[in-house]
Amino acid sequence: MDNRQLIMNSALTLFYESGYDAVGVQQIVDSAGVSKPTLYYYFGSKQGLLEALLNEHFQPMEQKLIEASETGKNIPEKLYRIARAFFNGASEDPKFYMLMMSLFYSGRKSEGFRTVYPMIDRFYRLCVDVFDNASAELGNMNGRQEQFAVGFSGTLMHYLMMTAGNHADLSGLVIRDEEVYRLVHQFMYGIYS
């Protein structure tokens, strides 16, 4: 494993375990077995490291979410596929997902929030697009596609966080297909009623 990857692996574990703000550069380089100049060479700063780490881990999940949003013959099926991809991505990369959520719920002026926000926003925008494209199926949206996107993405995130509360991390968490179906069905019931 090269030094860049050693630094990223160490940082992910440390940020996941202690939080981004609680971990210093010295702790990261000690854990990775490299020097500070090596970290600065690859990433420029601790925030640069965080940005590279988030991008590397978010891209596979984002690609699966995009693919899920482009398949399915109706809105419930698209939402099911998005939810399934989201839950699978979180359980396949639990440290990243938990770090991403902790950064999103951190102080709005913090480095962590400013670094993770564009990724959360891209997921939200993907959901907005799904509802925009479903306007023929759902009727005149009257601007509600953003409300639906907030509700749907928030439902997925909150469901996962609450379900994960019973697990040390998400790696042992299994969300069955029937649970995903019921969750999407309940969400759609709220839209149709």
Side-chain angles (χ1 to χ4, degrees):
M1 189 177 312
D2 68 2
N3 285 340
R4 184 179 188 280
Q5 197 59 51
L6 282 170
I7 294 167
M8 289 182 72
N9 290 351
S10 294
L12 177 59
T13 298
L14 291 168
F15 295 160
Y16 165 75
E17 290 174 350
S18 301
Y20 174 75
D21 292 329
V23 176
V25 170
Q26 189 64 52
Q27 192 176 359
I28 296 166
V29 298
D30 288 348
S31 175
V34 300
S35 65
K36 281 185 181 182
T38 303
L39 183 144
Y40 295 129
Y41 170 77
Y42 286 113
F43 305 105
S45 65
K46 181 180 158 188
Q47 186 176 6
L49 168 59
L50 178 63
E51 187 173 343
L53 179 67
L54 291 174
N55 282 322
E56 181 174 294
H57 285 263
F58 186 69
Q59 285 177 351
M61 178 187 262
E62 184 177 35
Q63 187 56 43
K64 290 175 184 173
L65 290 166
I66 290 168
E67 290 168 9
S69 74
E70 294 172 347
T71 59
K73 57 185 178 249
N74 57 40
I75 188 72
E77 188 175 331
K78 284 181 185 289
L79 295 179
Y80 169 82
R81 289 175 186 273
I82 291 169
R84 182 77 273 167
F86 182 80
F87 292 145
N88 288 350
S91 65
E92 290 166 6
D93 199 353
K95 286 181 184 177
F96 163 72
Y97 176 80
M98 296 300 278
L99 172 63
M100 185 175 72
M101 288 296 92
S102 71
L103 293 170
F104 182 63
Y105 291 109
S106 64
R108 293 305 182 240
K109 292 184 179 183
S110 70
E111 283 182 6
F113 175 79
R114 289 191 322 263
T115 306
V116 80
Y117 181 78
M119 289 159 214
I120 301 292
D121 189 56
R122 288 199 310 262
F123 174 52
Y124 165 72
R125 296 285 162 208
L126 179 137
C127 293
V128 170
D129 288 346
V130 167
F131 288 109
D132 270 342
N133 294 331
S135 61
E137 190 177 336
L138 296 174
N140 186 350
M141 298 294 284
N142 292 326
R144 292 179 296 155
Q145 60 273 30
E146 291 185 4
Q147 292 173 340
F148 292 161
V150 166
F152 183 67
S153 61
T155 296
L156 297 182
M157 290 178 193
H158 196 72
Y159 187 83
L160 191 56
M161 295 302 282
M162 294 307 293
T163 304
N166 297 328
H167 298 273
D169 64 31
L170 298 175
S171 59
L173 181 65
V174 175
I175 298 177
R176 297 181 324 271
D177 287 340
E178 49 278 1
E179 289 177 83
V180 178
Y181 173 78
R182 284 195 312 267
L183 189 65
V184 170
H185 181 75
Q186 182 64 39
F187 180 80
M188 291 306 300
Y189 179 77
I191 290 175
Y192 291 136
S193 61

